[in-house]
Amino acid sequence: MAQESSINRASRRTRILNNHLVQSPSDPTSCVQSNSCLSYTPPEVTESFDFETKEMRKILDFHNLEDRDWLFRVIEQGKVFNGKERGGRMFVIPDYNQTMEQQREMTMKRIEYLLERGVFDGWLMKEGVEAELKKLAFLDVIQNFDHSLAVMLGVHFFLWGGAIQFMGTKRHHDKWLRDTETFALKGCFSMTELGHGSNVRGIETVTTYDLKAGEFVINTPCESAQKYWIGGAANHATHTVVFSQLNIDGVNQGVHAFIAQIRDEDGNISPNIRIADCGHKIGLNGVDNGRIWFDNLRIPRENLLNSVADVSPDGQYLSAIKDPDQRFAAFLSPLTSGRITIATSAVFSSKVGLATAIRYSLSRRVFSATPNGPEVLLLDYPSHQRRLLPLLAKSYALTFAGNYLKMIYVNRTPGSAKTLHVVSSAFKAIFTWHNMRTLQECREACGGQGFKTENKIGHMKGEFDVQSTFEGDNTVLMQQVCKALLSEYVAAKKKNKPFKGLGLEHMNGPVPVIPSNLTSSILRSSQFQMNAFCLRERDLLNRFAAEVSLYQSKGESKEHAFMLSYQLAEDLGRAFSDRAILQTFIDAEVNVTAGSLKNVLGLLRSMYALICLEEDAAFLRYGYLSTGNAAAVRKEVTKLCGELRPHALALVSSLGIPDAFLGPIAFNWIDANSCSSVKH
């Protein structure tokens, strides 16, 4: 009996193994029989559009829509952009399974592909607002595909090329700009050192002038002076802009910028230069970050970028700006373009994540509200709305703020340099912090599918994480913003003149009053929202100035007093940024005629303003909101989530991101993961 049972068990196991190993021929086109399983329903079948998405996109993208769409198509059609079919659709997704070396070479192949198709025509050789906006629009598109590609272009055109444009003069323009635009040379930007990042004044590389030879000599005097994180340096760059202390006859004239060749056209490293790789990173491995040491590297005197200061052949230091602080500021003022492109790319990354996560939530069902009832769409859960829709509203707000930042940049004048520096510093910090939070929330909102690289969201976190410290640590940038605000405050008070500039004109009027009972209509009023933001900024600026002054009265230096007041500085920096962003939203909304589009923009603006009121503890900490009013704000945010829910698909469809640039789960995620799609 036991033997027979053993034989039966063996027979049963044999049948089971056979079923596993031998595929059934009953349906050669399918791996599984069709049963009453889950099926994918496109959200377009059930969701309505109450406004024209093309009109919303015009407001968001703001400029060069046809140029953007042309470049989107170029990328979709190019084999070097790694198109993959998933669920009957094509997606362009960088292959992050490649080695670091392969990713770097693929970045260069993509640059070559775009170069051959004229994408970079006029990026440096054409002048004017139209040329600048077209360049920024193209970079927006590229950022939607791959951050490594965008960063390499940003380093080459905006940092290396921008330094030559704005820090150099005609002799540099004539010699270097055309070859930069055509990639006859490849440029990089050597500012950051192992020992100094944000503190550019403290860099240790030293350049002296050899009067007899008429040459500059660049040296790395110690290990902490090695140039570090230099994008393009490890493998590809042929030239670099070197930031260095300039020493003339034993006198340090401060930081200046020089052009140096680091490789020949065949890729051989130049004499008196050592280069090493920075190694593998948590993202951006398509960028060849390198380290550079200079050992008595000689360069022509003419290679000093001399728009601010020069050295004559006989070794005389020449500058129309005598004050070293003002001269240093003049050197760095043209370099705001890096912060601008970082800020705008952060918003686009957020939008890719949100469009993917929200579309997924409009077709993915889980659990049921009643016994044996149908499962519920993810986005119909209030908790799911609460985690995604406020972030979508913020992304809309930051898009309008990014457009404002672009216009300051392309229309820049000498008088706008301070505004551009302050606003770009604030927005870069706010935008990149928002991006990291958004991608994390979207990753979680997509569950395990958000963890999959091809769905983009999870991997983008690593790719964009560097933005929080790239081109300035966010916390340090916010401190710079507060220093500028304090400077404006002190100047206005000392001269007994009204505030003018940086949006501080509201300081000249009466102190806004917050009603004791915040009703829904008041909370959604743009006037109330702006009053609340202005009250916070005004009070925090007064508190910050008073605290710094108090520390100084006790013998502390201004710098140390500022450091001791860092908590107020953190609150003030966010207050300035939020108020400036809200103003750009209101300005964009004003230009839209009455109707569904304007109504939805009003909902988004209110969501942005109220979520800022809810999330910033400063409103409770300093008593701008009572606990009762704070509860009213929280309740109103929940109501706004419910009112925005019917517009969710239309809002992400308005972002202007082609389907191919989203993750496959944004569409038929069942077919995208079907057995037939698996490559055996």
Side-chain angles (χ1 to χ4, degrees), residues 229-404:
W229 292 126
I230 312 305
N235 299 119
H236 301 295
T238 59
H239 293 72
T240 191
V241 171
V242 184
F243 285 80
S244 169
Q245 305 289 349
L246 174 59
N247 193 304
I248 303 290
D249 289 333
V251 178
N252 183 11
Q253 300 292 350
V255 176
H256 291 65
F258 305 83
I259 295 174
Q261 184 166 352
I262 59 175
R263 285 186 179 87
D264 63 23
E265 59 185 15
D266 296 321
N268 301 306
I269 296 175
S270 301
N272 303 93
I273 286 178
R274 285 178 292 154
I275 295 178
D277 205 309
C278 286
H280 196 272
K281 309 178 290 287
I282 65 171
L284 280 184
N285 283 300
V287 177
D288 55 314
N289 292 96
R291 303 182 278 155
I292 308 176
W293 294 259
F294 303 96
D295 183 12
N296 288 313
L297 177 69
R298 289 181 171 269
I299 61 172
R301 181 185 65 86
E302 292 78 11
N303 281 22
L304 167 66
L305 295 175
N306 64 339
S307 65
V308 174
D310 206 350
V311 174
S312 66
D314 62 354
Q316 298 299 309
Y317 183 76
L318 309 169
S319 179
I321 305 174
K322 302 305 179 186
D323 182 86
D325 291 338
Q326 293 180 6
R327 195 162 61 232
F328 179 71
F331 270 122
L332 298 188
S333 64
L335 303 180
T336 53
S337 61
R339 291 196 294 273
I340 293 165
T341 56
I342 289 170
T344 55
S345 72
V347 180
F348 276 101
S349 173
S350 300
K351 291 192 284 192
V352 169
L354 285 163
T356 299
I358 288 175
R359 286 193 63 94
Y360 182 59
S361 72
L362 288 168
S363 64
R364 178 78 155 87
R365 295 176 179 273
V366 291
F367 306 112
S368 56
T370 58
N372 301 318
E375 290 187 298
V376 180
L377 283 175
L378 280 173
L379 201 60
D380 285 337
Y381 284 98
S383 59
H384 211 75
Q385 296 170 14
R386 194 62 163 72
R387 70 193 310 184
L388 293 180
L389 297 184
L391 294 173
L392 179 62
K394 274 196 170 185
S395 294
Y396 264 71
L398 302 193
T399 299
F400 295 135
N403 291 337
Y404 166 73

Side-chain angles (χ1 to χ4, degrees), residues 387-462:
R387 70 193 310 184
L388 293 180
L389 297 184
L391 294 173
L392 179 62
K394 274 196 170 185
S395 294
Y396 264 71
L398 302 193
T399 299
F400 295 135
N403 291 337
Y404 166 73
L405 182 58
K406 285 182 185 177
M407 293 312 296
I408 300 177
Y409 174 68
V410 299
N411 292 301
R412 58 192 176 276
T413 62
S416 67
K418 182 173 184 177
T419 299
L420 184 58
H421 168 69
V422 174
V423 174
S424 65
S425 297
F427 285 7
K428 183 265 185 183
I430 292 293
F431 289 21
T432 55
W433 277 329
H434 167 73
N435 187 32
M436 285 295 97
R437 179 187 171 190
T438 298
L439 291 175
Q440 179 62 32
E441 198 67 61
C442 289
R443 208 297 290 161
E444 293 182 30
C446 292
Q449 291 294 338
F451 198 63
K452 196 174 181 181
T453 302
E454 74 172 15
N455 290 322
K456 287 195 167 184
I457 299 170
H459 198 87
M460 284 196 297
K461 283 169 49 194

Side-chain angles (χ1 to χ4, degrees), residues 544-565:
F544 181 62
E547 187 167 293
V548 170
S549 178
L550 179 62
Y551 280 125
Q552 287 183 281
S553 70
K554 295 180 178 179
E556 301 288 354
S557 67
K558 182 178 179 180
E559 285 299 317
H560 195 227
F562 184 87
M563 286 191 287
L564 293 171
S565 305

Side-chain angles (χ1 to χ4, degrees), residues 5 55 92 97 228 232 276 294 301 350 429:
S5 176
E55 292 303 311
V92 284
N97 290 319
Y228 211 99
F294 303 96
R301 181 185 65 86
S350 300

